[in-house]
Each structure stands twice: as C-alpha cells, then as structure tokens.
Amino acid sequence: MSSQAEHLNQANKNQAVLEHLLQDPVKCDAWIAVVAFYKALHVVEAIFSTDPAIGHTSNHHVRLDKIKKTKKYANLHPSYRVLWSAALIARYLSGDIQTASGSASRTFSRFEDYMSVRDLRDNLLGRYLVDFERKALSFLPSIAPQLVCYHSAPEPQAAPPPIESDALWKLLQNKDAARGFREPSPRNRRFPRDFARQSP
C-alpha cells in the first residue's frame, strides 16, 4: 500500500505531465483527459490513506463507490465522476455520457467528437479538476503546500499572419497619408521632414 506522500508525489508528477501536454492540446487532448483523471485518483488515494475505514483501493469501481457512498467524501463525487468519464472516453472512445433523461452509453470516432479543446481547458480542467482539487484539499489541509494544483492559463494567442512587404509598405503609406505626411521630393529625400522644409 502506498503512503500519502507517495500518492501526492505521483499526483504532482501527473500535474507536470499535464502542463507539458497542454503545450499542444490539439494533439494531446485525449491524454490530457487521462492524466487529469489519474492526478485526481492519486489525490483520492492520498485522502483514503489517512482514513482507516477505507485505506487503499485498487479498483476504479470500488474507489468511485467509496467516494459516492461515504458521506464525508460525497462532495468529491460529481467532479471525480466527470474526470473519470472523460478519461474512459479518451482511452476507449466509448462510455456513459449524461443526457437529459439520465446516462447513456455512446461510442465516438475521436475524442474531439466528445469534447473540444476549449471544453477540455475551460470545463474539464478549469471547472472540474479545479473544483475537485479545492474540495480535496479541505480533507487534508496539511498537504496544501505539497500538492501542485492546476491553474488555468490563458489560451495561447495565435500569431498574426505575416504581412507581405508590399502590403506593409502600402499600410505604412496610408498611415502616413492620414497624418498628413508626404513623400519627400528626391532632392531632400535624405533629410528628415523638418529639414526638408527649411532647405532653400
């Protein structure tokens, strides 16, 4: 059975992997979901390691059942369940999804058919993982300094498209024309505008 410190260490390693994968979320979207879930799993195991009534769990279904049915851990269940569902769909491209009438089993061709990169960042990580970590830390306040939590980073901005040199030149000419600047005559092209006015 692993100790609390070992589970926290593994959760922090998963956080480091998560940050690395988030550098290219389009290519790594499914693995981001998997790693986020396994980070949460190790946090749960760190919590359970201090609870003699539960101890270590080695089965996903048993762990989920303990979270759901143990009153003091029940508030972890909604976020943990979403993370687990996303990881299952990421790995196997099928799983239960929540519908208006309950849950239904569904198969996907690709993970992005289930969840867009924006939803992955904003909802799975920014909402559910953050919520799970916040609630989990309330069980073990002494581990707060040891656990590296997810902090949503701003989405990287795409670089503007390059401007062709001719288009850039026209753009600059239009800007200068709007400010009243005229191209100097060939005679005084070498001098700044003020000197051109003073020349005889």
Side-chain angles (χ1 to χ4, degrees):
M1 180 164 81
S2 300
S3 70
Q4 181 187 67
E6 291 167 333
H7 283 297
L8 289 176
N9 184 44
Q10 192 59 45
N12 288 339
K13 285 182 180 180
N14 287 337
Q15 177 62 37
V17 171
L18 193 60
E19 290 169 8
H20 177 74
L21 295 175
L22 282 167
Q23 293 175 13
D24 193 354
V26 174
K27 280 187 185 175
C28 304
D29 56 351
W31 284 108
I32 290 168
V34 171
V35 172
F37 165 68
Y38 277 97
K39 179 184 183 187
L41 179 149
H42 283 287
V43 172
V44 165
E45 286 298 320
I47 293 168
F48 284 176
S49 71
T50 64
D51 188 338
I54 297 176
H56 176 69
T57 58
S58 58
N59 177 300
H60 290 301
H61 295 282
V62 170
R63 187 177 302 108
L64 186 67
D65 195 51
K66 296 283 185 192
I67 294 169
K68 184 177 182 178
K69 292 183 177 174
T70 306
K71 188 175 181 175
K72 66 181 176 181
Y73 302 128
N75 69 340
L76 295 174
H77 179 263
S79 297
Y80 186 83
R81 179 70 171 115
V82 169
L83 292 164
W84 185 36
S85 295
L88 285 173
I89 291 169
R91 289 185 69 189
Y92 305 111
L93 295 177
S94 66
D96 293 338
I97 59 167
Q98 296 300 317
T99 64
S101 59
S103 68
S105 186
R106 187 157 167 214
T107 303
F108 298 90
S109 300
R110 306 168 307 159
F111 181 73
E112 50 269 18
D113 293 338
Y114 168 67
M115 182 177 291
S116 69
V117 171
R118 179 174 290 282
D119 282 340
L120 180 73
R121 269 186 197 277
D122 295 349
N123 290 321
L124 190 67
L125 301 178
R127 180 176 172 195
Y128 292 104
L129 182 59
V130 167
D131 180 64
F132 173 82
E133 289 173 337
R134 182 180 50 79
K135 289 175 180 174
L137 286 174
S138 70
F139 293 104
L140 299 168
S142 62
I143 70 164
Q146 298 167 343
L147 181 66
V148 179
C149 291
Y150 173 78
H151 299 288
S152 56
E155 250 183 76
Q157 297 295 319
I163 299 176
E164 297 290 327
S165 61
D166 289 342
L168 180 60
W169 177 247
K170 287 178 184 174
L171 179 68
L172 290 173
Q173 282 180 323
N174 290 340
K175 240 183 181 180
D176 289 340
R179 288 188 298 195
F181 179 76
R182 289 176 291 139
E183 180 71 26
S185 65
R187 186 179 105 217
N188 49 17
R189 192 170 286 194
R190 289 184 175 176
F191 301 106
R193 187 171 160 190
D194 292 337
F195 290 123
R197 286 188 188 156
Q198 295 173 2
S199 61

